[in-house]
PDB file of all heavy atoms in Angstrom:
ATOM      1  N   LEU A1039     -27.915 -35.613 -54.471  1.00 96.00           N
ATOM      2  CA  LEU A1039     -27.879 -34.228 -54.012  1.00 96.00           C
ATOM      3  C   LEU A1039     -29.186 -33.501 -54.290  1.00 96.00           C
ATOM      4  O   LEU A1039     -29.667 -32.718 -53.462  1.00 96.00           O
ATOM      5  CB  LEU A1039     -26.716 -33.484 -54.689  1.00 96.00           C
ATOM      6  CG  LEU A1039     -25.301 -33.969 -54.335  1.00 96.00           C
ATOM      7  CD1 LEU A1039     -24.267 -33.060 -54.978  1.00 96.00           C
ATOM      8  CD2 LEU A1039     -25.095 -34.039 -52.826  1.00 96.00           C
ATOM      9  N   THR A1040     -29.792 -33.739 -55.461  1.00 95.00           N
ATOM     10  CA  THR A1040     -30.968 -32.958 -55.846  1.00 95.00           C
ATOM     11  C   THR A1040     -32.242 -33.385 -55.127  1.00 95.00           C
ATOM     12  O   THR A1040     -33.277 -32.751 -55.305  1.00 95.00           O
ATOM     13  CB  THR A1040     -31.208 -33.059 -57.359  1.00 95.00           C
ATOM     14  OG1 THR A1040     -31.310 -34.437 -57.724  1.00 95.00           O
ATOM     15  CG2 THR A1040     -30.092 -32.422 -58.141  1.00 95.00           C
ATOM     16  N   LEU A1041     -32.187 -34.444 -54.332  1.00 94.00           N
ATOM     17  CA  LEU A1041     -33.362 -34.862 -53.578  1.00 94.00           C
ATOM     18  C   LEU A1041     -33.396 -34.228 -52.194  1.00 94.00           C
ATOM     19  O   LEU A1041     -34.093 -34.697 -51.300  1.00 94.00           O
ATOM     20  CB  LEU A1041     -33.418 -36.385 -53.458  1.00 94.00           C
ATOM     21  CG  LEU A1041     -33.758 -37.136 -54.745  1.00 94.00           C
ATOM     22  CD1 LEU A1041     -33.834 -38.628 -54.498  1.00 94.00           C
ATOM     23  CD2 LEU A1041     -35.071 -36.629 -55.347  1.00 94.00           C
ATOM     24  N   SER A1042     -32.658 -33.145 -52.013  1.00 94.00           N
ATOM     25  CA  SER A1042     -32.671 -32.427 -50.741  1.00 94.00           C
ATOM     26  C   SER A1042     -32.552 -30.933 -51.007  1.00 94.00           C
ATOM     27  O   SER A1042     -31.747 -30.503 -51.839  1.00 94.00           O
ATOM     28  CB  SER A1042     -31.524 -32.884 -49.834  1.00 94.00           C
ATOM     29  OG  SER A1042     -31.419 -32.056 -48.688  1.00 94.00           O
ATOM     30  N   GLN A1043     -33.342 -30.136 -50.268  1.00 93.00           N
ATOM     31  CA  GLN A1043     -33.217 -28.687 -50.366  1.00 93.00           C
ATOM     32  C   GLN A1043     -31.854 -28.206 -49.890  1.00 93.00           C
ATOM     33  O   GLN A1043     -31.443 -27.084 -50.208  1.00 93.00           O
ATOM     34  CB  GLN A1043     -34.304 -28.004 -49.533  1.00 93.00           C
ATOM     35  CG  GLN A1043     -35.716 -28.189 -50.023  1.00 93.00           C
ATOM     36  CD  GLN A1043     -36.698 -27.334 -49.237  1.00 93.00           C
ATOM     37  OE1 GLN A1043     -36.392 -26.195 -48.899  1.00 93.00           O
ATOM     38  NE2 GLN A1043     -37.860 -27.887 -48.936  1.00 93.00           N
ATOM     39  N   GLU A1044     -31.145 -29.048 -49.155  1.00 94.00           N
ATOM     40  CA  GLU A1044     -29.855 -28.639 -48.611  1.00 94.00           C
ATOM     41  C   GLU A1044     -28.775 -28.586 -49.680  1.00 94.00           C
ATOM     42  O   GLU A1044     -27.776 -27.891 -49.515  1.00 94.00           O
ATOM     43  CB  GLU A1044     -29.440 -29.597 -47.494  1.00 94.00           C
ATOM     44  CG  GLU A1044     -30.381 -29.588 -46.295  1.00 94.00           C
ATOM     45  CD  GLU A1044     -29.975 -30.619 -45.259  1.00 94.00           C
ATOM     46  OE1 GLU A1044     -28.987 -31.349 -45.507  1.00 94.00           O
ATOM     47  OE2 GLU A1044     -30.639 -30.708 -44.208  1.00 94.00           O
ATOM     48  N   THR A1045     -28.972 -29.326 -50.798  1.00 96.00           N
ATOM     49  CA  THR A1045     -27.922 -29.396 -51.828  1.00 96.00           C
ATOM     50  C   THR A1045     -28.531 -29.427 -53.230  1.00 96.00           C
ATOM     51  O   THR A1045     -28.375 -30.398 -53.968  1.00 96.00           O
ATOM     52  CB  THR A1045     -27.057 -30.649 -51.618  1.00 96.00           C
ATOM     53  OG1 THR A1045     -27.928 -31.801 -51.494  1.00 96.00           O
ATOM     54  CG2 THR A1045     -26.168 -30.543 -50.414  1.00 96.00           C
ATOM     55  N   PRO A1046     -29.246 -28.384 -53.642  1.00 95.00           N
ATOM     56  CA  PRO A1046     -29.801 -28.383 -54.996  1.00 95.00           C
ATOM     57  C   PRO A1046     -28.697 -28.242 -56.046  1.00 95.00           C
ATOM     58  O   PRO A1046     -27.609 -27.730 -55.756  1.00 95.00           O
ATOM     59  CB  PRO A1046     -30.721 -27.169 -54.998  1.00 95.00           C
ATOM     60  CG  PRO A1046     -30.117 -26.255 -53.990  1.00 95.00           C
ATOM     61  CD  PRO A1046     -29.556 -27.146 -52.917  1.00 95.00           C
ATOM     62  N   ILE A1047     -28.995 -28.699 -57.253  1.00 96.00           N
ATOM     63  CA  ILE A1047     -28.077 -28.561 -58.385  1.00 96.00           C
ATOM     64  C   ILE A1047     -28.725 -27.646 -59.417  1.00 96.00           C
ATOM     65  O   ILE A1047     -29.865 -27.861 -59.816  1.00 96.00           O
ATOM     66  CB  ILE A1047     -27.725 -29.924 -59.009  1.00 96.00           C
ATOM     67  CG1 ILE A1047     -26.911 -30.757 -58.025  1.00 96.00           C
ATOM     68  CG2 ILE A1047     -26.960 -29.744 -60.316  1.00 96.00           C
ATOM     69  CD1 ILE A1047     -26.535 -32.131 -58.555  1.00 96.00           C
ATOM     70  N   VAL A1048     -27.998 -26.632 -59.826  1.00 95.00           N
ATOM     71  CA  VAL A1048     -28.482 -25.654 -60.799  1.00 95.00           C
ATOM     72  C   VAL A1048     -27.461 -25.577 -61.929  1.00 95.00           C
ATOM     73  O   VAL A1048     -26.253 -25.627 -61.689  1.00 95.00           O
ATOM     74  CB  VAL A1048     -28.646 -24.264 -60.144  1.00 95.00           C
ATOM     75  CG1 VAL A1048     -29.073 -23.233 -61.169  1.00 95.00           C
ATOM     76  CG2 VAL A1048     -29.626 -24.332 -58.998  1.00 95.00           C
ATOM     77  N   ARG A1049     -27.953 -25.453 -63.155  1.00 94.00           N
ATOM     78  CA  ARG A1049     -27.058 -25.195 -64.281  1.00 94.00           C
ATOM     79  C   ARG A1049     -27.023 -23.679 -64.483  1.00 94.00           C
ATOM     80  O   ARG A1049     -28.030 -23.068 -64.816  1.00 94.00           O
ATOM     81  CB  ARG A1049     -27.532 -25.914 -65.533  1.00 94.00           C
ATOM     82  CG  ARG A1049     -27.631 -27.418 -65.336  1.00 94.00           C
ATOM     83  CD  ARG A1049     -27.731 -28.154 -66.651  1.00 94.00           C
ATOM     84  NE  ARG A1049     -28.010 -29.575 -66.458  1.00 94.00           N
ATOM     85  CZ  ARG A1049     -27.880 -30.495 -67.402  1.00 94.00           C
ATOM     86  NH1 ARG A1049     -27.479 -30.157 -68.607  1.00 94.00           N
ATOM     87  NH2 ARG A1049     -28.158 -31.763 -67.148  1.00 94.00           N
ATOM     88  N   LEU A1050     -25.857 -23.101 -64.270  1.00 92.00           N
ATOM     89  CA  LEU A1050     -25.710 -21.645 -64.225  1.00 92.00           C
ATOM     90  C   LEU A1050     -25.271 -21.107 -65.583  1.00 92.00           C
ATOM     91  O   LEU A1050     -24.377 -21.666 -66.242  1.00 92.00           O
ATOM     92  CB  LEU A1050     -24.683 -21.262 -63.152  1.00 92.00           C
ATOM     93  CG  LEU A1050     -24.500 -19.773 -62.875  1.00 92.00           C
ATOM     94  CD1 LEU A1050     -25.782 -19.182 -62.305  1.00 92.00           C
ATOM     95  CD2 LEU A1050     -23.330 -19.552 -61.916  1.00 92.00           C
ATOM     96  N   LEU A1051     -25.894 -20.007 -65.995  1.00 89.00           N
ATOM     97  CA  LEU A1051     -25.566 -19.354 -67.263  1.00 89.00           C
ATOM     98  C   LEU A1051     -25.379 -17.867 -67.022  1.00 89.00           C
ATOM     99  O   LEU A1051     -25.989 -17.273 -66.132  1.00 89.00           O
ATOM    100  CB  LEU A1051     -26.691 -19.569 -68.284  1.00 89.00           C
ATOM    101  CG  LEU A1051     -26.955 -21.013 -68.702  1.00 89.00           C
ATOM    102  CD1 LEU A1051     -28.295 -21.116 -69.406  1.00 89.00           C
ATOM    103  CD2 LEU A1051     -25.851 -21.514 -69.616  1.00 89.00           C
ATOM    104  N   ASP A1052     -24.537 -17.250 -67.842  1.00 84.00           N
ATOM    105  CA  ASP A1052     -24.358 -15.814 -67.765  1.00 84.00           C
ATOM    106  C   ASP A1052     -25.450 -15.118 -68.561  1.00 84.00           C
ATOM    107  O   ASP A1052     -25.881 -15.592 -69.609  1.00 84.00           O
ATOM    108  CB  ASP A1052     -22.992 -15.412 -68.328  1.00 84.00           C
ATOM    109  CG  ASP A1052     -21.870 -15.824 -67.398  1.00 84.00           C
ATOM    110  OD1 ASP A1052     -22.072 -15.792 -66.174  1.00 84.00           O
ATOM    111  OD2 ASP A1052     -20.787 -16.195 -67.903  1.00 84.00           O
ATOM    112  N   SER A1053     -25.907 -14.000 -68.070  1.00 78.00           N
ATOM    113  CA  SER A1053     -26.915 -13.198 -68.749  1.00 78.00           C
ATOM    114  C   SER A1053     -26.468 -11.751 -68.750  1.00 78.00           C
ATOM    115  O   SER A1053     -25.921 -11.258 -67.760  1.00 78.00           O
ATOM    116  CB  SER A1053     -28.279 -13.323 -68.053  1.00 78.00           C
ATOM    117  OG  SER A1053     -29.223 -12.445 -68.632  1.00 78.00           O
ATOM    118  N   LEU A1054     -26.693 -11.082 -69.883  1.00 69.00           N
ATOM    119  CA  LEU A1054     -26.309  -9.679 -69.972  1.00 69.00           C
ATOM    120  C   LEU A1054     -27.210  -8.804 -69.115  1.00 69.00           C
ATOM    121  O   LEU A1054     -26.842  -7.691 -68.747  1.00 69.00           O
ATOM    122  CB  LEU A1054     -26.371  -9.219 -71.437  1.00 69.00           C
ATOM    123  CG  LEU A1054     -25.394  -9.920 -72.385  1.00 69.00           C
ATOM    124  CD1 LEU A1054     -25.585  -9.410 -73.809  1.00 69.00           C
ATOM    125  CD2 LEU A1054     -23.952  -9.697 -71.937  1.00 69.00           C
ATOM    126  N   GLU A1055     -28.405  -9.323 -68.834  1.00 71.00           N
ATOM    127  CA  GLU A1055     -29.346  -8.547 -68.035  1.00 71.00           C
ATOM    128  C   GLU A1055     -29.732  -9.323 -66.785  1.00 71.00           C
ATOM    129  O   GLU A1055     -29.877 -10.538 -66.824  1.00 71.00           O
ATOM    130  CB  GLU A1055     -30.609  -8.225 -68.841  1.00 71.00           C
ATOM    131  CG  GLU A1055     -30.344  -7.402 -70.092  1.00 71.00           C
ATOM    132  CD  GLU A1055     -31.621  -7.055 -70.811  1.00 71.00           C
ATOM    133  OE1 GLU A1055     -32.561  -6.578 -70.146  1.00 71.00           O
ATOM    134  OE2 GLU A1055     -31.688  -7.273 -72.026  1.00 71.00           O
TER     135      GLU A1055
END
Side-chain angles (χ1 to χ4, degrees):
L1039 295 185
T1040 55
L1041 289 182
S1042 171
Q1043 293 187 39
E1044 297 176 358
T1045 51
I1047 293 179
V1048 177
R1049 302 196 188 194
L1050 186 64
L1051 297 165
D1052 288 326
S1053 174
L1054 296 178
E1055 299 183 49

